[in-house]
Amino acid sequence: MQKSKAGALLFLPGNLQEEGGTPGRMAMEKKKMLFIYNPKAGKAKIRNYLLDIIDIFTKTGYEVTAYPTQAKGDGLLAVKERRKGYFDLVVCSGGDGTLDEVVTGMMQCGERLPVGYVPAGSTNDFANSLHIPKDMLIAAQTAAVGREFACDIGAFNDDTFVYIAAFGIFTDVSYETPQDAKNVLGHMAYILEGMRRLSQVKSYRLRVECEELAVEGEFLFGMVTNSTSVGGFKRITGNFVQLDDGEFEVTLIKKPASPMELNLIMAALLNRNINTDCMYCFKASCLKLTSPEEVAWTLDGEFGGRHREVRICNQKQALNIRVP
């Protein structure tokens, strides 16, 4: 093990020569990996597995540069500022926010490398959609030697998202809930924080346009997704979701007339009993949303800014992600 010029730790593959001094298999196949991980994600559980994960990467023939993030945006910068032409693979470990930073950094670069993901967050919606194992060591093996899946990626104005862009009720919960609360309570932290905000329910006047339709009205919530689950709830985005078909699943919930109607809407959404009187559900590859006031958006659980106009486009099969 040695230090790189950037201060990240380098883990060099062992057993590079077989007995007798001849070059071994790993010496001939040595590849380079940038491993970016969030040491605080998901109750900081990576601390219990870090050395084993790096051992797996090394035994599969990688020279590993390990980069622990220290603050928001570190993952994005680590990918964008990496030495071009040097690495063969970028692997990240953390929650959906960490994955979002790494993918965003990759999409902003001229050199798009395959991305591996070792989920360590509270919900890990996108990992579930890709059937990436929850077991961190098996996920590490998948990241190192799994097959490459060409996945759709979302473009949001000048930004990027991996699996969800959303506005409205509860969407600020994930990025405003303190990390310590997430670590202690896990998914329950989101639910408790969301319940606290029920009295603050607000609707937004929007015009939504896409290839097939144009709608206008007061909306309580909206999400543009490329995932089989959101917030840990499966099937909430619809049935027969494909992550490489070039289309998003779009859900828009109309403003309820009463608290009872709000309860009916939430029940319909969770049970996937679509009530066209209170929501729109459709597929689209590109759409435009405009509002007379600024609307706060969340991208993969992180704050995506406040906007009066948003253009969202599906970049079909734009990035290779390692899956089982």
Side-chain angles (χ1 to χ4, degrees), residues 304-322:
R306 298 178 182 276
H307 308 272
R308 285 190 174 90
E309 181 175 310
V310 167
R311 293 180 182 273
I312 301 175
C313 288
N314 187 300
Q315 300 175 89
K316 186 177 181 180
Q317 301 177 9
L319 189 67
N320 287 329
I321 297 181
R322 294 281 176 91

Side-chain angles (χ1 to χ4, degrees), residues 146-178:
R147 71 180 177 91
E148 292 182 7
F149 173 72
C151 186
D152 296 346
I153 300 296
F156 179 95
N157 288 348
D158 296 326
D159 210 335
T160 298
F161 67 96
V162 180
Y163 76 99
I164 182 171
F167 70 88
I169 185 172
F170 297 167
T171 53
D172 61 347
V173 168
S174 58
Y175 60 80
E176 288 195 359
T177 301

Side-chain angles (χ1 to χ4, degrees), residues 30-34 61-64 86-90:
K30 184 171 66 173
K31 298 158 287 185
K32 293 179 174 61
M33 175 196 296
L34 175 59
Y62 283 97
E63 176 184 301
V64 183
Y86 182 78
F87 294 102
D88 301 286
L89 175 68
V90 174

Side-chain angles (χ1 to χ4, degrees), residues 145-282:
V145 300
R147 71 180 177 91
E148 292 182 7
F149 173 72
C151 186
D152 296 346
I153 300 296
F156 179 95
N157 288 348
D158 296 326
D159 210 335
T160 298
F161 67 96
V162 180
Y163 76 99
I164 182 171
F167 70 88
I169 185 172
F170 297 167
T171 53
D172 61 347
V173 168
S174 58
Y175 60 80
E176 288 195 359
T177 301
Q179 183 66 51
D180 290 344
K182 296 179 188 178
N183 289 345
V184 172
L185 298 174
H187 185 59
M188 184 58 67
Y190 294 95
I191 297 174
L192 293 175
E193 185 69 10
M195 290 174 63
R196 187 177 70 83
R197 295 167 186 265
L198 275 175
S199 61
Q200 305 171 19
V201 171
K202 174 182 169 67
S203 62
Y204 302 88
R205 182 152 199 85
L206 287 167
R207 178 172 175 80
V208 183
E209 304 168 82
C210 65
E211 307 96 319
E212 301 295 331
L213 57 86
V215 296
E216 189 169 352
E218 294 277 340
F219 297 102
L220 187 74
F221 171 80
M223 62 180 178
V224 181
T225 62
N226 191 42
S227 175
T228 60
S229 69
V230 172
F233 295 101
K234 295 183 177 180
R235 296 179 61 250
I236 198 171
T237 59
N239 298 318
F240 311 112
V241 175
Q242 292 181 292
L243 308 186
D244 61 349
D245 62 355
E247 290 190 308
F248 294 119
E249 283 66 43
V250 183
T251 302
L252 300 169
I253 298 179
K254 301 176 186 178
K255 179 182 178 180
S258 66
M260 182 173 292
E261 189 172 312
L262 173 60
N263 290 336
L264 292 175
I265 290 172
M266 299 304 289
L269 187 63
L270 294 176
N271 295 323
R272 207 58 198 172
N273 297 322
I274 303 304
N275 183 344
T276 55
D277 291 334
C278 61
M279 65 179 71
Y280 295 102
C281 296
F282 56 93

